[in-house]
Amino acid sequence: MIPRRSPSGLAVLLCVLLAGCGTAGPTPGAATSPQSATPSQSAAGSPTTPPDPTAVYADIEAQIRALRGLEAKSPVEPKVLDEAALGKSIQDQFTKDNPAALVSANERLLKGLGLLPPDASLRDLYISLLTGQVAGLYNPEDKTLYVVSKSGGLGPTEKTTFAHEYTHALQDQNFGLAGMNLDAPGEGDRAIARLSLVEGDATLTMSLWQLDNLSQAEILQLLSESLDPKATAALAAMPAVLRESLLFPYTSGLTFTQGLQGSGGWEAVNAAFGKPPASTEQILHPEKFASGEAPIRVDLPDDLAAKLGAGWKVGLEDTLGEFQLKPWLADAGASASGAEEAAAGWGGDRTTIVDGPNGAFAIVVSSRWDTPADAAEFATKAREVIPGLASPGDVLALVDRTAVTVVIASGSDLVGRVENLLGLAG
């Protein structure tokens, strides 16, 4: 596992999803080879002989090193777990990495934004989401690679999972995943962007490995196993912000990494680890990564809580980014394309929740946009969201400027007080 900041700001896992075990098309310009024997066949010598897991894993390691062009610095010994054991490991690690106060602050923020139902438990939802979707994981802390085996055997799903997670081990040994600061406090959007590079690389490598090393029968079996109705239904039932935050690094990360690899080979992917993406905007719009367009720094007043009075304190401060603003806008009932368009043009933001006595709270989303038109489009969509929230709010946009501030609070009078303290009241 590797901690990173999710849309809710929580440290979660570096893993491979059940839904991520299917095949993906080769990247443009990528070299692929004709169908070869599967690792189990080459290791066992006969399809009917149970494969030697050690030999199979050794074959896959060599194939991944050759495909990805990275050298192993040290051996990695996989640990095979059943679903119950992996679920316990995930739950224990989540609890260790996420203090109760952090989980509570994120829960209040998401509920205030209307992204979680009022009676939802963020901790329970996250653990349920992860334990129901994860097929394996790599932990950079102890350099351990885990693979889930439902049957106790070594089939195409287990081999694919190992290929993905072994890529993470090579990334760690060659680039140092800890140095990417995926768990830096208050840097949620940057963490998702960097995780998208990490997971996109592993997903692309895994997909190309599948094309080279799995038989047609194995691929069909893999697809069947990845379409687990129970896991699919559980994923669909999750709040959109949690579901999309889990999938984004794999789906958008794959597209981003395919673009790098297709235009500049693996050298371009390696170079991205040296200067990783700074925002989800760069993942969604790779040309902004190529041009080095950095997020605009947005600062919130350090003394906002103090000015609100005794008993007020900052619960959480983070950056939402283009990716996390999109589901918020979409929850207003806008079309998906409308939400995407309104979130595009993001330049930077800073978001906070401040908590006061007797359950009082205020949320401030202070954002900057690339152009006045982008700011106006976001403000228009944001104003559609406010009436549907459980708490009152307001959207303030400066005429002919690129700043838009959203204020949501536990009472209308508090909305006005916060606007006055921010110097925004007209």
Side-chain angles (χ1 to χ4, degrees), residues 81-82 88 146 188 202 213 226 232 289 305 324 399 407-408 411 417 423:
L81 304 175
D82 60 21
K88 184 179 185 306
Y146 299 91
N213 296 284
S226 69
T232 301
F289 173 74
Q324 297 180 66
V399 179
V407 179
I408 302 163
R417 285 184 62 200

Side-chain angles (χ1 to χ4, degrees), residues 34-87:
Q35 181 66 49
S36 61
T38 69
S40 60
Q41 290 173 328
S42 63
S46 168
T48 60
T49 302
D52 174 13
T54 301
V56 173
Y57 289 137
D59 281 350
I60 298 174
E61 289 178 1
Q63 292 156 358
I64 292 295
R65 288 195 299 269
L67 172 63
R68 185 59 182 82
L70 296 175
E71 292 297 323
K73 311 294 185 182
S74 58
V76 178
E77 184 176 349
K79 292 186 178 181
V80 180
L81 304 175
D82 60 21
E83 290 179 283
L86 184 71

